[in-house]
Amino acid sequence: MNPLKKRIGVLGGGQLGRMMIEESLRLNIHYAILENDPHCPCAPLCDTFIEGSLMDEAKIRQLAAASDVLTWEIEHVNTDVLLALEAEGKTIIPRPSVLQIIQDKGLQKQFYRQHQIPTGDFYLVQTETEWFEAIEKLPGHKFVAKTRKGGYDGKGVAILSKYDVLNKLTSIPFEGPCLLEAFVPCEKELAVIVARDQAGNMLSYPSIEMEFDPEANLVTLLLSPARVGSIIEEKAEQIARNLVAAFDSPGLFAVEMFLDPAGNLYVNEVAPRAHNSGHHTIEACYTSQFEQLARILVGLPLGSTELLQPAAMLNLLGAKDFSGAYQLDKLAECMHLPGVYVHLYAKQESKPMRKMGHVCLMAPSVPELLEKAQYVAKNLVLVKA
Ligand code: ADP
């Protein structure tokens, strides 16, 4: 089959799908999207839109019938149906068995341990007795509790004091199966995005350094390459590649890691799809993460992941104090600057901390980049229309 006549079916119609369409339309790829919300970011750009839930077997089968290859842009999908479709011969990238592991933070951690991927100590718990036993064994004063399934953007994650929970000053925050982890004193959070094609070739993007808004638990500023030095850079790349090799599946994978003050790296989690930490690759790399994924899906060769200039990315988040129609303050002033690329996701309504768009920034040197990023972060804000 001619790779340029292929039809890609995507479960989910958000901004990640939208940017993949934007980045590969020039390859004549046909896109079919399954999504509940007919006003989602992908709706105006795709060729075929199927309205429906990502859990609905009939709708997923309808998407599969309209596509040569299937992928997802969000993990909360019906994996059983994808496994069944794969068994029936459908090409699904990444393999649904990888998604099964990633959907469960407990299985993810066990997978890392099994494959000698460095990760913090952990225990899988459910009952109160199991919680208390695990907390006693975890090192340090603090620990991290996570629901095994269904969490995202920090929902379902709590950093707790061992003393407070053991003495019942703080109650157990989650019901059901949970993952309790050692708290990693984190100097920086890093991400390495790895692309693996259908023949097993792998390329990774230069490392990315992420700063989080602790309240919203979203990336606020991202820099690439990360300011870590070549030894850590190589170590991070090797860990990410080993992990993706262990998954033994084609696809695009964003591997998130913590760097502690002693220079140790610990894998936190993996996103088996394009990722928020890779948005700068659209302008700042020869091949964006989105085009790369499209290439993998249709069987084209991987493109160069080389970074052209130091790059930064800022998320444009909905203001905390309103929901509804919005506009961007100081848009003209910011777009006037060279190397500032504004991306808007065509979301109709702003909501507190909702990802409405992002800005990629590029500059010949890191100090210039940081100066520009600071200016844009301060000035380009979402306000009520
Ligand atoms: P989500 O899947 O919702 O993004 P994460 O597992 O990435 O949740 O956790 C959210 C954030 O909480 C991380 O980005 C990090 O800042 C913090 N965090 C998570 N696990 C740990 C840990 N073991 N030690 C220290 N901080 C952590």
Side-chain angles (χ1 to χ4, degrees):
M1 151 92 67
N2 178 351
L4 305 182
K5 291 239 171 92
K6 277 212 173 162
R7 300 167 306 162
I8 295 178
V10 186
L11 287 97
Q15 64 265 19
L16 299 174
R18 180 180 171 92
M19 286 184 268
M20 180 154 78
I21 301 175
E22 287 174 347
E23 278 291 291
S24 57
L25 265 182
R26 57 181 175 268
L27 293 172
N28 284 354
I29 292 169
H30 178 290
Y31 276 95
I33 298 287
L34 171 62
E35 164 67 48
N36 245 335
D37 174 8
H39 303 293
C40 68
C42 286
L45 298 189
C46 64
D47 302 280
T48 305
F49 185 77
I50 300 169
E51 190 176 331
S53 157
L54 305 181
M55 296 295 161
D56 183 333
E57 170 159 9
K59 296 287 180 178
I60 296 173
R61 286 187 173 275
Q62 198 182 331
L63 179 76
S67 320
D68 298 303
V69 53
L70 283 183
T71 193
W72 54 81
E73 56 113 60
I74 181 167
E75 280 92 279
H76 301 296
V77 304
N78 189 332
T79 320
D80 292 338
V81 177
L82 295 182
L83 285 164
L85 280 165
E86 188 185 45
E88 291 161 26
K90 194 83 205 167
T91 309
I92 304 178
I93 295 176
R95 285 167 38 210
S97 55
V98 173
L99 184 58
Q100 236 177 351
I101 297 171
I102 285 173
Q103 277 175 338
D104 181 335
K105 288 185 174 183
L107 294 183
Q108 253 193 80
K109 292 285 269 188
Q110 285 177 329
F111 185 86
Y112 306 153
R113 192 175 268 173
Q114 235 170 20
H115 293 272
Q116 286 88 45
I117 303 295
T119 193
D121 278 354
F122 69 93
Y123 297 94
L124 304 185
V125 300
Q126 184 154 358
T127 64
E128 191 184 65
T129 318
E130 287 166 348
W131 270 75
F132 288 161
E133 279 172 10
I135 296 169
E136 296 272 15
K137 287 187 261 180
L138 285 167
H141 299 295
K142 286 189 275 190
F143 71 100
V144 185
K146 300 180 180 180
T147 52
R148 284 180 59 173
K149 286 191 172 181
Y152 65 98
D153 285 348
K155 291 177 187 69
V157 176
I159 297 177
L160 300 164
S161 145
K162 279 167 66 173
Y163 180 88
D164 287 358
V165 179
L166 289 175
N167 292 290
K168 305 203 172 174
L169 302 172
T170 301
S171 49
I172 290 175
F174 307 120
E175 281 176 11
C178 284
L179 163 69
L180 304 190
E181 287 180 9
F183 178 84
V184 178
C186 184
E187 189 131 294
K188 277 184 200 297
E189 292 197 30
L190 304 178
V192 176
I193 297 175
V194 180
R196 192 172 196 260
D197 71 12
Q198 295 189 40
N201 300 304
M202 277 201 279
L203 283 179
S204 52
Y205 285 86
S207 65
I208 301 146
E209 173 180 342
M210 301 179 282
E211 273 178 24
F212 279 83
D213 177 332
E215 204 182 313
N217 224 318
L218 291 170
V219 177
T220 44
L221 175 73
L222 161 165
L223 288 176
S224 188
R227 294 164 297 175
V228 291
S230 59
I231 294 175
I232 303 282
E233 170 85 29
E234 274 170 36
K235 213 156 97 176
E237 183 189 322
Q238 201 50 57
I239 292 170
R241 281 172 169 258
N242 290 347
L243 176 45
V244 172
F247 278 138
D248 195 22
S249 162
L252 190 81
F253 300 88
V255 182
E256 293 183 43
M257 294 175 223
F258 301 130
L259 173 65
D260 78 3
N264 298 306
L265 288 161
Y266 303 89
V267 171
N268 176 36
E269 60 176 355
V270 179
R273 53 170 166 77
H275 192 246
N276 193 218
S277 64
H279 291 351
H280 65 288
T281 61
I282 295 176
E283 287 89 7
C285 291
Y286 276 113
T287 314
S288 70
Q289 61 166 348
F290 300 102
E291 181 185 331
Q292 197 75 280
L293 178 56
R295 285 175 178 235
I296 295 166
L297 291 166
V298 303
L300 286 166
L302 294 177
S304 164
T305 52
E306 196 179 320
L307 190 67
L308 305 170
Q309 262 190 352
M313 195 280 295
L314 293 161
N315 277 320
L316 290 172
L317 301 177
K320 288 176 186 154
D321 58 350
F322 80 93
S323 292
Y326 67 96
Q327 59 186 36
L328 283 160
D329 208 16
K330 303 273 190 330
L331 179 64
E333 287 87 336
C334 291
M335 287 189 72
H336 184 67
L337 298 169
V340 171
Y341 304 90
V342 176
H343 292 248
L344 297 173
Y345 302 155
K347 294 185 185 176
Q348 307 206 319
E349 290 209 334
S350 178
K351 290 182 194 155
M353 304 322 275
R354 187 177 194 195
K355 289 177 189 159
M356 303 302 291
H358 75 264
V359 186
C360 169
L361 304 110
M362 292 167 70
S365 72
V366 175
E368 281 171 86
L369 181 65
L370 291 175
E371 193 187 346
K372 208 159 27 180
Q374 251 166 20
Y375 177 84
V376 174
K378 204 165 138 208
N379 288 285
L380 188 64
V381 283
L382 262 121
V383 291
K384 213 170 178 155

